[in-house]
Amino acid sequence: MKNQRFSLLTTTLLLASCSMSVSLPGDAVTFSTPRGTSGAPRQETTGGATRNNGACLSNAHASKDTVTALIPNTRLGLTVSERPTVFVYVPKTTAKEATFTLQDAARNLIYRTKVPLRETGGVIRITVPETVKALEMDNDYRWVVEIHCIADLDPDNPFAEGWVRRTSVNANLAGKLETAKTSLERAMAYSQAGIWYDALGNMADAMRSQPQNSTLVKNWEELLTSVGLQAIAKSPLTL
């Protein structure tokens, strides 16, 4: 029975270099933030939503119904990808599209694109394409998703933001990835190494391949809850 109940995120992450962890009662669900990735606390909704009352959002005053970046509380997550994939929760909205922007630490534009939105809302994923220059190793990059409530790139639009830092694959992680045969196993390897974006992306890939798998759904919810995103953990993925 123990093996049957095995799940990706009930494994305690033992990272000697960790500076912070979040644990929940019952079966321990922990995501540890590697040293050096601390930053300002995540802001659930930013930008003009407070000034225009999030006019195009279903209920801008509810904690669940705010534009939210799927990142740890520090707002900075690691990736080993040259061109990462980011995830954002968008509530029910009358807006038809959003703008995704990627900048370097000095706020120089790296990439910008429009993203279509569904009226029903949900978690959207955005992948930086191969045509964009690869992220430089150990550099921090800021990304923003702005909802077009008023107009394209209007300062009063609600938005969410996060930071990403590309890091290298150490020998331990490389060995686990070499033996991993599924997206779930790769997600486990990345989560144990504290690589947030790749853990989340592979977990989403696993769910996309088996959307009715209740164990995968539970793992996804546990992962989000472990970094303080329990309010949106059950939101649908619009992949």
Side-chain angles (χ1 to χ4, degrees):
M1 289 295 295
K2 183 176 181 181
N3 289 336
Q4 292 175 349
R5 296 198 311 267
F6 179 83
S7 67
L8 163 67
L9 296 164
T10 54
T11 302
T12 303
L13 304 182
L14 301 178
L15 299 177
S17 62
C18 293
S19 61
M20 183 190 77
S21 65
V22 181
S23 299
L24 300 179
D27 290 338
V29 180
T30 305
F31 184 86
S32 298
T33 302
R35 188 180 303 279
T37 61
S38 60
R42 181 183 58 245
Q43 299 175 15
E44 302 298 351
T45 299
T46 52
T50 56
R51 296 195 290 274
N52 68 10
N53 295 319
C56 71
L57 306 180
S58 62
N59 185 359
H61 299 291
S63 60
K64 179 180 182 297
D65 290 320
T66 57
V67 185
T68 307
L70 273 61
I71 49 176
N73 290 326
T74 57
R75 292 198 299 162
L76 172 62
L78 299 179
T79 185
V80 299
S81 174
E82 294 181 344
R83 299 167 186 86
T85 296
V86 306
F87 292 79
V88 177
Y89 168 75
V90 179
K92 292 181 180 179
T93 179
T94 57
K96 303 301 182 183
E97 64 180 8
T99 294
F100 170 77
T101 300
L102 179 67
Q103 302 170 319
D104 63 18
R107 302 297 176 93
N108 296 310
L109 181 64
I110 304 298
Y111 174 64
R112 176 171 285 157
T113 190
K114 300 290 180 60
V115 181
L117 299 177
R118 294 186 181 182
E119 184 177 353
T120 55
V123 175
I124 62 174
R125 68 187 294 169
I126 305 160
T127 300
V128 178
E130 292 293 325
T131 54
V132 177
K133 181 182 177 181
L135 300 189
E136 295 183 10
M137 197 70 71
D138 297 321
N139 283 359
D140 294 346
Y141 294 83
R142 175 180 181 255
W143 58 267
V144 181
V145 172
E146 176 188 322
I147 310 302
H148 295 178
C149 274
I150 299 175
D152 185 355
L153 301 178
D154 191 288
D156 284 341
N157 282 333
F159 67 89
E161 65 177 344
W163 289 80
V164 57
R165 179 186 300 165
R166 184 183 169 201
T167 190
S168 59
V169 177
N170 61 33
N172 183 48
L173 176 57
K176 292 180 179 179
L177 292 175
E178 186 175 353
T179 59
K181 296 180 175 60
T182 66
S183 294
L184 179 61
E185 292 174 347
R186 285 188 290 273
M188 174 182 287
Y190 284 121
S191 67
Q192 290 174 339
I195 310 296
W196 172 257
Y197 287 95
D198 304 86
L200 189 66
N202 277 276
M203 192 68 245
D205 288 341
M207 289 183 62
R208 179 167 57 180
S209 65
Q210 301 180 60
Q212 305 304 318
N213 188 316
S214 60
T215 298
L216 294 179
V217 172
K218 180 183 178 182
N219 290 337
W220 172 267
E221 293 174 0
E222 288 176 340
L223 177 57
L224 296 189
T225 298
S226 74
V227 294
L229 293 168
Q230 58 270 16
I232 60 172
K234 295 183 181 295
S235 301
L237 278 72
T238 58
L239 305 178

